[in-house]
Amino acid sequence: MSDHSWNSSGSEEDQDPELGQPVEFGGVLSKWTNYIHGWQDRWVVLRKNTLSYYKSEHEREFGCRGSLCLSKAVITPHEFDECRFDISVNDSLWYLRAEDPEHRQQWIESIELHKTTPGMDTVRHLQQQQEASQSCNNAESGYGSESSLRRHGSTLSLTSAASGFSATSTSSFQKGHSLREKLAEMETFRDILCRQVDTLQRYFDTCSDDVSKDVFQRDKVVEDDEDDFPSTKPDGDYLLNNSSKEKLCSQVNLKEANGIDFKGEAITFKATTAGILSTLSHCIELMVKREESWQRRLDKEMERRRRTEDAYKAALSELKKKPHYGGPDYEEGPNSLINEEEFFDAVEAALDKQDKIEEQVMSQSEAKCRGLLSIPMTPGDSHSTISTHRYSTKPHSHASSLSSVELVSASDDVHRFSAQVEEMVQNHMTYSLQDAGGDANWQLVIEEGDMKVYRREVEENGIVLDPLKATMSVKGVTGHEVCKYFWDTTYRYDWETTVENFNVVERLSDNAVIIYQTHKRVWPASQRDVLYLSGMRKVPATNESDPDTWLVCNFSVEHDNAQPTNKCIRAKINVAIICQTLVSPPDGDKEISRDNILCKITYVANVNPGGWAPASVLRAVAKREYPKFLKRFTSYVQEKTSGKPILF
């Protein structure tokens, strides 16, 4: 992590006098990305109640990669890791690590300060949202509008109500045109019925008024008759007085003015009500059918929800069974939440996936190789097939750098690690070539053909330090060739599938280099790196019967240019490959060919992986991977040397 992991435009307690909030500041924090890439350095900025992160400080102009609003954030310092703290907002969870506990505390205090002090922009934004929400509520409720107080016609109300359906609601009624038609008929009947009721009401009102007037006039006529008898004509007819004439004329006018066909209106009213009842009956039938349809839909929806809930519960239960797919709390560590069995299953699944990827790459390379080899070569094009080898991924610009290495003795190869190299070589030549089959401390764990793999179980402070020894024979190659391809970094990516990247830190001599190497991560194990000195040497023969012997020795060292980091666990190694060339005399005067040579290989490895990986997992991985590595590497050497001059 960068030393300058805390940059601010002011002190931690400074606040903007106008906005009343802390000023913006940023720094470098390690953020947990995923179980493949683990912890990665990110530029984190705290500004206006928001925490954002960028890939780096120089890439801020390209926009942030994520942000959290701190209003409802929960900040949790880690229980065991003094540099780590977690921030959660609803379903979002960030795992962050500071450079040291002091920086972690500074970040937590500043985040809390921003969390409790919202900026004016945030306040204005909230006010605007509140006003907009209130305005929308008023508009939807219709308060303050004249139209909300106006009573619409029934047909218009039906139309507006139908047009107010959402797209989903409208589509759900597409199969119910009959119901809508019957509802429209109901509206028509209602209008007709209202007009008929109004007509009949006017008729009844008029009749009532006429009856009242008639009673009044009759009483008045009786009174007048008592005072003034009618006169008669000579022929005997009565003569009416003036009041009687007015009464008679009034009755005639009322009868003419109220000439309503009451019987017809009554029949029409009866027909209208019958039509309404019939339409209502039809509507009820349609609604019952629709209710059955909706009930079936509801049953299907409830069944779908039940299946979804069951699937969710099953997934949740499965997730609880496999917690290693979570965050950094489930990776390798002293307080990991993952148990040993789950750790082993996860590692095995990851290794299987890598094997499948390697098989796909190899098959594609072989197909490409066959395609290129089918192209006829032109005379003089003797190097056109170099890049078609199935292991080749790039041209080897330094392929000849080791083929011309002089046979350097220990006295000629002098550097500051010479004494340490000499001690390692002597130890390996003394102990590594001893037969492990008769030693009770060694256990034979793998036997495939002439390849045998032995292991001696050793633990120190809970860490597996099992020494491993493997022996095998390879036809058609020499010990010098095997050691050359094992030592030369030019070919490293061709046969080593566990290495993510490496670089030569220092070249001590022509046959000794210091290499820094990081290995691919296998979740939930932490990523490992190793810094080691790699030296190749020919072992002088003590007598004429000794076979031609070459050795490559790799052992851990320290270097100022490759210090340990918190991203990887630094492993310690002491590995050697000892190759002895055995030659059978050819028949007659024939020259020695590759059919006459055999390379006896002894591979020893003492590895301290460090960390907290379970012992059973480390032993299972070693038992699985070492034989695969030996077979893959020796096959590679055989194919690289096939058809080439023998290098003794």
Side-chain angles (χ1 to χ4, degrees):
M1 182 176 294
S2 173
D3 294 335
H4 305 286
S5 62
W6 185 268
N7 295 327
S8 175
S9 57
S11 65
E12 299 171 26
E13 303 298 331
D14 287 345
Q15 293 189 353
D16 192 321
E18 296 182 359
L19 299 180
Q21 68 174 28
V23 295
E24 173 187 347
F25 60 88
V28 176
L29 290 175
S30 291
K31 182 179 182 297
W32 176 264
T33 54
N34 50 54
Y35 71 88
I36 296 177
H37 299 96
W39 296 98
Q40 298 291 331
D41 288 345
R42 295 290 182 260
W43 182 260
V44 183
V45 175
L46 188 57
R47 178 177 182 269
K48 293 183 180 181
N49 198 32
T50 301
L51 188 68
S52 307
Y53 78 92
Y54 306 80
K55 186 175 183 181
S56 65
E57 182 179 8
H58 304 292
E59 296 188 9
R60 293 188 60 181
E61 59 182 6
F62 300 111
C64 71
R65 295 197 165 193
S67 62
L68 287 177
C69 180
L70 300 176
S71 300
K72 298 182 180 180
V74 178
I75 301 139
T76 308
H78 197 263
E79 183 178 1
F80 306 107
D81 192 341
E82 296 181 350
C83 298
R84 174 182 156 190
F85 62 99
D86 304 338
I87 303 178
S88 61
V89 179
N90 297 329
D91 295 335
S92 298
L93 180 59
W94 286 11
Y95 305 100
L96 302 172
R97 294 188 82 253
E99 182 180 5
D100 49 49
E102 290 76 14
H103 278 93
R104 183 187 79 165
Q105 188 61 30
Q106 289 176 345
W107 273 102
I108 293 176
E109 292 175 355
S110 299
I111 291 173
E112 291 287 356
L113 182 62
H114 274 251
K115 176 183 174 183
T116 57
T117 312
M120 293 302 295
D121 291 344
T122 306
V123 174
R124 295 193 193 99
H125 180 64
L126 292 175
Q127 290 177 347
Q128 291 174 358
Q129 284 186 338
Q130 185 175 3
E131 292 174 358
S133 176
Q134 184 176 0
S135 175
C136 290
N137 291 336
N138 291 341
E140 291 178 0
S141 61
Y143 293 153
S145 63
E146 296 180 0
S147 59
S148 64
L149 303 177
R150 186 180 301 118
R151 182 180 182 275
H152 299 284
S154 57
T155 306
L156 180 60
S157 301
L158 180 63
T159 306
S160 60
S163 63
F165 290 144
S166 63
T168 305
S169 300
T170 304
S171 62
S172 65
F173 279 100
Q174 288 179 354
K175 296 182 179 180
H177 296 290
S178 298
L179 182 60
R180 287 204 298 269
E181 292 173 358
K182 292 301 178 182
L183 290 176
E185 290 180 9
M186 290 287 293
E187 287 289 329
T188 304
F189 281 129
R190 190 190 70 111
D191 293 340
I192 296 173
L193 189 61
C194 287
R195 289 195 297 269
Q196 291 175 345
V197 169
D198 290 340
T199 302
L200 293 174
Q201 187 63 45
R202 287 197 306 270
Y203 175 78
F204 292 141
D205 291 342
T206 303
C207 290
S208 177
D209 292 341
D210 290 345
V211 170
S212 299
K213 290 179 180 181
D214 184 63
V215 172
F216 175 75
Q217 292 293 339
R218 186 171 62 247
D219 292 340
K220 186 177 179 181
V221 169
V222 171
E223 291 176 359
D224 291 344
D225 288 345
E226 290 177 354
D227 296 336
D228 186 11
F229 290 99
S231 58
T232 58
K233 291 183 180 181
D235 55 4
D237 293 334
Y238 291 95
L239 296 176
L240 298 176
N241 54 21
N242 294 333
S243 59
S244 298
K245 292 180 179 179
E246 292 177 359
K247 178 181 176 182
L248 183 60
C249 292
S250 175
Q251 291 178 353
V252 173
N253 293 334
L254 288 173
K255 184 177 180 180
E256 293 177 354
N258 297 290
I260 299 176
D261 186 3
F262 180 78
K263 185 177 181 179
E265 290 293 340
I267 294 174
T268 305
F269 183 82
K270 183 178 180 180
T272 303
T273 52
I276 290 176
L277 293 175
S278 175
T279 305
L280 280 174
S281 177
H282 196 177
C283 288
I284 292 173
E285 292 179 3
L286 292 175
M287 288 179 180
V288 169
K289 293 180 180 179
R290 294 298 301 278
E291 181 183 8
E292 294 175 354
S293 175
W294 280 109
Q295 185 63 42
R296 288 193 296 270
R297 287 192 181 185
L298 178 62
D299 293 340
K300 291 181 180 178
E301 180 66 20
M302 294 301 294
E303 178 65 19
R304 188 186 65 82
R305 291 189 180 185
R306 186 189 63 77
R307 290 196 299 266
T308 303
E309 290 177 358
D310 292 343
Y312 171 76
K313 291 178 181 178
L316 191 62
S317 176
E318 191 69 19
L319 187 62
K320 290 180 180 179
K321 294 180 182 178
K322 298 182 178 180
H324 50 273
Y325 290 109
D329 291 326
Y330 299 95
E331 69 173 346
E332 174 189 354
N335 304 295
S336 176
L337 301 181
I338 190 172
N339 59 43
E340 186 171 331
E341 182 180 356
E342 293 170 338
F343 197 106
F344 177 80
D345 292 341
V347 169
E348 188 175 36
L351 292 175
D352 290 340
K353 184 177 181 180
Q354 288 186 3
D355 291 344
K356 290 181 180 180
I357 295 175
E358 291 173 13
E359 291 176 1
Q360 291 177 358
V361 172
M362 185 175 296
S363 61
Q364 292 175 358
S365 300
E366 290 177 348
K368 183 178 179 181
C369 179
R370 288 193 297 268
L372 292 176
L373 289 176
S374 62
I375 302 176
M377 295 175 54
T378 57
D381 191 12
S382 60
H383 302 283
S384 60
T385 60
I386 291 180
S387 62
T388 64
H389 194 278
R390 70 184 180 96
Y391 291 96
S392 296
T393 57
K394 56 184 180 298
H396 301 301
S397 57
H398 304 288
S400 61
S401 59
L402 280 180
S403 60
S404 59
V405 172
E406 299 292 337
L407 301 183
V408 183
S409 64
S411 58
D412 296 332
D413 188 22
V414 179
H415 46 78
R416 66 180 184 277
F417 292 100
S418 296
Q420 194 172 355
V421 172
E422 183 64 23
E423 180 183 359
M424 290 291 179
V425 170
Q426 294 300 327
N427 288 336
H428 283 301
M429 293 303 300
T430 302
Y431 300 106
S432 299
L433 292 179
Q434 293 179 357
D435 186 12
D439 192 340
N441 293 325
W442 289 96
Q443 301 176 6
L444 179 63
V445 293
I446 295 291
E447 184 174 6
E448 296 181 6
D450 61 348
M451 181 179 66
K452 297 180 180 180
V453 180
Y454 300 89
R455 180 181 67 199
R456 189 171 69 242
E457 293 189 357
V458 177
E459 289 190 25
E460 182 177 329
N461 297 326
I463 300 177
V464 175
L465 305 176
D466 294 354
L468 183 140
K469 177 186 289 188
T471 60
M472 65 182 304
S473 299
V474 183
K475 295 181 179 180
V477 296
T478 65
H480 189 184
E481 292 171 333
V482 173
C483 289
K484 163 192 163 182
Y485 286 106
F486 186 81
W487 180 80
D488 193 349
T489 57
T490 306
Y491 308 98
R492 183 66 50 86
Y493 282 125
D494 290 352
W495 55 267
E496 180 58 274
T497 60
T498 64
V499 173
E500 184 174 84
N501 55 66
F502 71 91
N503 64 287
V504 177
V505 178
E506 183 180 356
R507 185 172 292 276
L508 301 173
S509 65
D510 290 340
N511 61 345
V513 293
I514 296 178
I515 298 173
Y516 173 72
Q517 183 171 288
T518 59
H519 291 264
K520 295 177 181 178
R521 185 181 185 190
V522 180
W523 174 264
S526 299
Q527 190 173 23
R528 260 69 176 180
D529 64 356
V530 60
L531 179 68
Y532 62 95
L533 185 151
S534 181
M536 184 177 70
R537 146 175 328 181
K538 181 179 181 181
V539 180
T542 56
N543 54 65
E544 294 182 356
S545 61
D546 289 343
D548 187 53
T549 304
W550 283 79
L551 175 144
V552 175
C553 181
N554 299 337
F555 59 91
S556 294
V557 295
E558 295 182 357
H559 199 281
D560 294 337
N561 294 338
Q563 296 293 332
T565 66
N566 59 358
K567 293 183 178 180
C568 298
I569 295 177
R570 180 62 58 88
K572 303 293 183 180
I573 66 169
N574 183 5
V575 177
I577 184 169
I578 305 171
C579 302
Q580 298 173 312
T581 305
L582 305 178
V583 181
S584 59
D587 297 335
D589 296 334
K590 295 182 180 179
E591 295 183 357
I592 297 177
S593 65
R594 294 195 176 274
D595 295 333
N596 303 117
I597 58 178
L598 179 71
C599 180
K600 182 180 179 181
I601 299 175
T602 302
Y603 180 83
V604 291
N606 294 271
V607 180
N608 181 353
W612 301 269
S616 60
V617 176
L618 292 175
R619 291 191 172 107
V621 171
K623 182 178 178 180
R624 164 180 170 155
E625 294 300 315
Y626 274 114
K628 288 170 54 180
F629 150 71
L630 289 173
K631 289 188 289 186
R632 181 174 61 247
F633 171 68
T634 53
S635 297
Y636 168 77
V637 175
Q638 284 179 316
E639 294 196 21
K640 290 292 289 185
T641 57
S642 177
K644 294 183 179 180
I646 302 174
L647 179 64
F648 287 100

